[in-house]
Amino acid sequence: NAIDINNRYNPNINKGEMYYSHLFMGLCYMIQNDYNNSITEINKSIVDTNWQKVFLIDRARVYFLSNQSELANIDFKKVTRTSIDTLQKAIAYAYLGDKEKAIETVNSFKRINQVNLFKTYNIQAAAVYSILKEYDIALDYLAKIKHLKYNYTEWILNNPDFSNLKNNDRFL
């Protein structure tokens, strides 16, 4: 449905919305395990460097899921050098297997933004620890958002960063 709606309304949206449109279509294809179409759409969303800084992590995940490790690692390394989002850098470091740098980056973000930590911080910090297979710490971060009125369970279950948690008894 999301892909159908996007195709129907796509001609009428502005350039900024178009980038998000392609990203969301790419993510829909990713959930369907249609990695070729996912990469095609995400590539359309990162046509300039400003958008690349935001969406490159998503393309790296798709490469990772489609067992294209070399391309995934290239993108993850680019994220560590160019991302404007420190938590994206932490996730990239986790996928690259640099546990120390990933945790250091999460903690650095927390120190810098002590007062303004938000639900996304907890989700992304949980993702870092899930990728690193530090399940108890990941679940502690997720526990901080379970009281919110929006349920993130479906999103978390479809996010590859959390694939390690899907069989964890505490998570279930």
Side-chain angles (χ1 to χ4, degrees):
N1 285 338
I3 292 168
D4 179 53
I5 289 168
N6 188 69
N7 286 334
R8 205 168 339 137
Y9 293 103
N10 213 327
N12 301 319
I13 61 179
N14 69 43
K15 189 175 181 179
E17 291 169 333
M18 183 68 75
Y19 295 130
Y20 280 103
S21 172
H22 289 298
L23 172 69
F24 293 133
M25 282 186 55
L27 296 176
C28 289
Y29 284 123
M30 179 187 75
I31 299 304
Q32 296 175 339
N33 299 323
D34 184 348
Y35 301 125
N36 289 332
N37 279 326
S38 180
I39 293 293
T40 299
E41 290 300 324
I42 292 173
N43 281 340
K44 292 176 187 175
S45 73
I46 55 176
V47 295
D48 67 43
T49 55
N50 289 329
W51 293 97
Q52 183 182 28
K53 291 177 184 177
V54 179
F55 300 146
L56 195 59
I57 191 82
D58 296 300
R59 186 174 74 185
R61 283 184 183 108
V62 176
Y63 282 141
F64 178 81
L65 289 171
S66 63
N67 296 315
Q68 297 181 60
S69 301
E70 287 181 33
L71 293 173
N73 288 341
I74 289 168
D75 277 358
F76 285 131
K77 287 175 185 173
K78 285 180 186 175
V79 168
T80 64
R81 291 189 306 269
T82 65
S83 177
I84 55 175
D85 181 338
T86 307
L87 293 171
Q88 284 188 353
K89 288 181 182 184
I91 289 170
Y93 283 128
Y95 273 108
L96 289 167
D98 192 338
K99 182 176 182 176
E100 183 179 313
K101 198 75 167 154
I103 293 170
E104 176 186 314
T105 306
V106 168
N107 292 334
S108 173
F109 187 89
K110 186 176 183 179
R111 271 192 311 278
I112 294 167
N113 299 286
Q114 292 176 38
V115 180
N116 297 321
L117 292 179
F118 41 86
K119 65 183 172 283
T120 308
Y121 166 78
N122 290 309
I123 292 171
Q124 291 181 325
V128 170
Y129 285 100
S130 174
I131 296 163
L132 295 173
K133 299 181 181 176
E134 297 281 346
Y135 303 126
D136 287 333
I137 299 170
L139 291 166
D140 288 344
Y141 275 106
L142 290 178
K144 293 177 184 180
I145 63 163
K146 69 181 180 183
H147 67 284
L148 299 174
K149 70 178 184 177
Y150 298 109
N151 187 335
Y152 293 91
T153 305
E154 188 68 27
W155 181 83
I156 289 169
L157 286 173
N158 286 305
N159 185 320
D161 300 342
F162 294 97
S163 62
N164 295 331
L165 280 178
K166 290 182 182 177
N167 296 321
N168 184 288
D169 289 336
R170 184 174 161 205
F171 177 74
L172 296 175

